[in-house]
Every structure is written in C-alpha cells, then in structure tokens.
Amino acid sequence: MPREVEPSVNERQFFEKALAENLRLDGRAFDQFRDLELSFGDEFGVADVRLGKTRIHTNISAEVTTPYPDKPFDGLFTITTELSPMTSPHYETSRPSDPEILLSRILEKNLRRSQALDTESLCLIAGHKVWSVRADVHILSHDGNLIDASCISVLAALQHFRKPDTSSEGENVTVYTLEERDPVPLSLLHFPYCVTFSFYPSTVEEGETVILLDSTLLEEQLREGSATIGINKDGELCQIAKLGGISVDAVAFLGCVQVALARVKEISTFVIKRLAEDAKKRDKGDLMAELRAENDR
Amino acid sequence: MPLDTSTYSLALLRLDGRRWNELRRLTAQISTQVAADGSSYLEMGNTKVMCTVAGPSEAKGAGGVRLGNDRADIRVSISIAGFSGVDRKKSGRNDKRLMEMQHTIASAFAQNLFTKLYPHSTISLSIHVLSQDGSLLAACINACTIALIDAGVPMHDYICACTAGSTSSYSSNDETADPLLDLNTMEEQELPFLTVATMGESDSVSVLIMETKVQVGRLEGMLAVGVDGCKQVRAILDGVARARGTKMLEGSRM
C-alpha cells in the first residue's frame, strides 16, 4: 500500500508565507467556499455533489426488512461511507482508516442521532416489517472537505428519494411498483448540514488562530486542527466535533458557530432550489399535480 | 429513567443534590503503578479511570523508519471494563466511538506536548475505564494529563476537561434554562451536553464535542460554564501534581 504523499517543505513554506499575507493558494478569501454544484440522477435518490474538485455521489435505496427486537416501531437508516483506493491510493478497502471513521461518526451523529430522518415513519407493521433506508456515499474525488460535501450529498439525496407506496391489510403489506402508484417522499424532520473549519497557528507571536473555511486537500494536510459544526437552518446545533488539535479561543469558536449558521442557510436554499428545478424537469406536461395521490395539507 | 426537571426548577437542586455550577467530587492519584513510566488514577464522581504511560520510547512496529517522523508519535488505547457500566456489554475492537475518543485524546496531546523533543519515538497511553457514570471522555483526558506529568513529558500546560449541559431539552424554548456543570449518566441521557477541554487557565478550547441537539443560543452559556469548570479541574489537578512534587523533594533530602 502506498503511503500518503505529504506536502513537501517548499509547499509547506509557500503556504505558510501566503497565509501570513492573508492569502490562500487558490485566491479565495479565508471564509469563502468553493463553488458548490449539485445534480440529480435519472432515478430517485441519486445525488452528485461537487465542491471544487471534491466530488461525492450518494445513492439511496430502500427495502423491507424486520426491525430490531428492542425497537419494533423504528425503521432502519444506515449510512455507509467507504474511502476506497479510488479516492486516494493510500486508502485500503479492508481496514478503516482514521479519516473514514471520523467521517462516518460525524455523519452518524449529524443525521441519525439528531433524527433528521423520522425512523418511526418507516414502520409498516410494528415488530415485523419496516423500511430499511440505506445511503451509500461514494467519494469519487478527494480534494478536501469531505465531511461537508458528503453531508450535503446525503441530505440532498434523501430529499430527492421516493420510496414505493405501500398498503397494508392485517399482516400483509403490498409494495406497489413505480408504475402502479406514485412513490412517496421520505419524512425528513430537519436538515442539519455540516460546516468544517480548519485552524492554523498564528504566524505572528501571540496572534489569533487563523481560521479557514472549506479547505482543499493541501490545506487539510497542513492544518493543525479542525472543527465540524452540524447545524440546521433553524439554529439547532446537532453536533460539534472539535477533536483535539490546536486550541482555539472560546469566543472565536462561538463566532465560528454563527458563520456556520449563515452558511447552512445558504446551503439549504441552494439545495431546495436545485430540488425544485429537478422536480420541474421530471414534471413533463404538468401532469404531476393531477396524477398525485396525496393532498395539499 | 426520566429526569424530573420540574423538581430542579423548584429547589434548584439536581438529582444528586448539587447546584448547577458544582463539580462532583474529583480525586486523583499520581504514580499509582510502579512498572509504568507514568500513571494515574482519577475519579470524577463515580466515573473511575486509570491511565498508564509508556514512553517516550523507541518507535517499534511494522512501520519501521517513517518519513517525516521528526516528532513523537502518540498512541492511545482505551479499554472499557465489562463491569464498568450498568449493563454488561462487551465492546468490540472496532467500536467507532472508542476509536474517535482515542483519536481525540491523541490529537489533543500531540499539540500540547513538546513532541519535537522526541523524534522517532512513541508515547503510548493506555486508559482503563473501571466505572462509568458520565463525563467519560473528560475523565480520560484528565487522567492522561496527570499520567503524562508523572512520566515527565514536557507540556505547554494542563489539558483539563469537564462536561456542561443545559437543564431543558431542545424542544422547549424557554429562556429560564440553566447551564449545568459536570453531568452524571442519568443527566447525560436526558439533557443536551457537551464535553470541553481547555489549555490550562486560558479560555482556549482544545476539545469540544457535542452529540446532542440544542438551540444555538444555549451554547454560549454551556461553553462558559464548561470552561469555568475546566479551570476548577485544573486547580485540583495542579494540587495533586504539586503534592507529589513536594513529596519527591522531601524524599530526596533524606
């Protein structure tokens, strides 16, 4: 297995010197994000997010299974992330690496523990049949900030996904194909997006920590600490993960949370806009309104 | 077990009789293991943790001479005893929560210790959790700090940790919510809380982990109480380290 290529001494010095002059290597401002692109596949539940050169593809699938005996009313929701050698040659498929564990833990805390997807709505027959929703996150290209991008990708895919409609008579559940009945969207309670901050020690004595947003791969390799804040547009913090690294002043950190909130509002509107565009594209001849079974409530 | 928050608002006393800004009893012992280079035993209420340090020693393992190894490598392993919790659970080797905690402790101390003084070497910390009653990560971090002091590894300052919570859950949006310091298991299961670790007496945050949902406005109060608690913890740990130092000096005089 090849080792991760570390930045050379020249790259490191160039980066530090640029940072001292308030410059980033790609010319962005410290708090500026790269361009976010989001596209959906032909099928429901396929989202492709591009954040600069980082590209993440998420596929949502659902099947009917039996629930866990201790939670008979809850459906299952699993997120699988795998950093394969396609992402970067130094990732192995067999053994989970540190970044992979942190990525899956943060997605788990942000989306599962905060009940973004209402798992109780996935229940068909208590204790016997529930939907099992699975999100497969594929990292196609790694240029930093995997956490934010995969979080956007999973949430966009969940909003885009439609599960087949069902009806139940006693113990029997009928799952209708997409042709028979219009599929139904998932019940999502809120949309917590992640924003990751990278910290660098100050270049001057007794100066403040330099904080960068949306770091590229090189910036990530050179950073001395990072913090991921998961928050929804209503101002509910879902998780904070500052796992060690250099220390940051508490007041500066509270500032970061406000920045994250503002950013998450932007992301939310962006995703909603793209979803609306996609829905319009699918709605050929404005037939959806007539064919739809559900009422406006 | 549901925590009856209504009793809190009446008497302003928590389930175990503490006020909002009180720590549980925190005791620490330094140099408990003779064989280890550094060791400690720490109790935060009923959470009991033991930590041993081996190193700084020569790096060994399959990695061999690794490039860019101009600083010491810090390895952390946490083992949780089966009898430590309420229900006897065997945690697997690949428990992601444990791996996250190990990563957190390692990367916090990597910035705090003068690792550059020990190139091509390893400092390994092994933590044994004997009893769990909330604030687990905080107890582990505090035990590591004391053990590293015992091992004589130079560091910038103490890393001290504690937890802070908020009395009402996220759903009720009342403004009367009090921040709470140093939660036990029952409170942790019921209330939003965070674990914070700071560098010594400064306000700079080294570790901040929150896994529960909370209104953004509450964070400031929780963080302020947490940071203040860390300073109290620092005073206690400092006392332990100084008592040990005095004892050693007395011993050398004889």
Side-chain angles (χ1 to χ4, degrees), chain A residues 194-215:
Chain A
C194 284
V195 180
T196 304
F197 298 82
S198 299
F199 303 119
Y200 301 85
S202 168
T203 41
V204 288
E205 281 291 312
E206 298 294 315
E208 281 191 6
T209 319
V210 179
I211 301 170
L212 296 189
L213 271 156
D214 189 22
S215 48

Side-chain angles (χ1 to χ4, degrees), chain A residues 6-133:
Chain A
E6 286 182 13
S8 64
V9 176
N10 278 346
E11 277 177 303
R12 189 180 291 266
Q13 285 175 346
F14 184 60
F15 175 77
E16 279 168 9
K17 211 164 177 187
L19 212 58
E21 293 173 21
N22 288 335
L23 288 171
R24 282 170 89 166
L25 295 190
D26 48 8
R28 281 184 287 153
F30 282 4
D31 58 351
Q32 193 185 347
F33 277 77
R34 289 172 287 178
D35 288 336
L36 178 64
E37 259 319 308
L38 171 62
S39 57
F40 297 101
D42 292 333
E43 285 178 37
F44 286 119
V46 177
D48 188 353
V49 165
R50 273 178 243 203
L51 192 63
K53 283 181 188 156
T54 298
R55 186 170 177 188
I56 291 173
H57 179 95
T58 300
N59 192 5
I60 311 276
S61 50
E63 58 178 7
V64 179
T65 48
T66 47
Y68 291 121
D70 55 333
K71 286 178 183 165
F73 303 106
D74 281 355
L76 311 181
F77 175 40
T78 45
I79 306 171
T80 54
T81 47
E82 197 166 89
L83 296 178
S84 63
M86 179 168 65
T87 313
S88 174
H90 68 275
Y91 289 125
E92 273 179 292
T93 41
S94 54
R95 198 166 47 94
S97 53
D98 255 11
E100 181 175 343
I101 290 164
L102 299 182
L103 174 65
S104 67
R105 270 290 288 174
I106 287 178
L107 287 180
E108 153 117 16
K109 285 191 277 191
N110 206 44
L111 302 173
R112 263 161 53 97
R113 275 196 65 156
S114 73
Q115 285 282 314
L117 176 64
D118 181 17
T119 45
E120 279 188 21
S121 73
L122 300 174
C123 180
L124 297 169
I125 295 171
H128 288 289
K129 287 188 176 68
V130 291
W131 282 109
S132 161
V133 176

Side-chain angles (χ1 to χ4, degrees), chain B residues 135-206:
Chain B
S135 310
L136 182 62
L137 178 63
C140 290
I141 292 174
N142 292 334
C144 286
T145 303
I146 288 286
L148 283 164
I149 290 171
D150 185 36
V153 185
M155 58 171 77
H156 287 96
D157 208 335
Y158 293 71
I159 294 188
C160 302
C162 69
T163 53
S166 188
T167 43
S168 70
S169 55
Y170 61 89
S171 50
S172 57
N173 206 0
D174 58 344
E175 294 303 310
T176 55
D178 260 346
L180 297 177
L181 184 62
D182 196 16
L183 279 70
N184 59 27
T185 299
M186 272 202 288
E187 290 169 324
E188 272 187 4
Q189 281 167 353
E190 209 59 32
L191 304 172
F193 75 100
L194 50 83
T195 303
V196 59
T198 61
M199 293 280 280
E201 282 179 317
S202 68
D203 278 350
S204 59
V205 177
S206 170

Side-chain angles (χ1 to χ4, degrees), chain A residues 187-240:
Chain A
S187 147
L188 294 161
L189 301 178
H190 63 124
F191 308 105
Y193 294 97
C194 284
V195 180
T196 304
F197 298 82
S198 299
F199 303 119
Y200 301 85
S202 168
T203 41
V204 288
E205 281 291 312
E206 298 294 315
E208 281 191 6
T209 319
V210 179
I211 301 170
L212 296 189
L213 271 156
D214 189 22
S215 48
T216 61
L217 183 59
L218 179 71
E219 287 169 339
E220 251 175 37
Q221 285 172 327
L222 293 173
R223 72 183 173 194
E224 301 278 317
S226 70
T228 303
I229 297 171
I231 190 169
N232 63 23
K233 66 179 195 316
D234 307 315
E236 282 173 326
L237 277 165
C238 294
Q239 58 90 16
I240 298 176

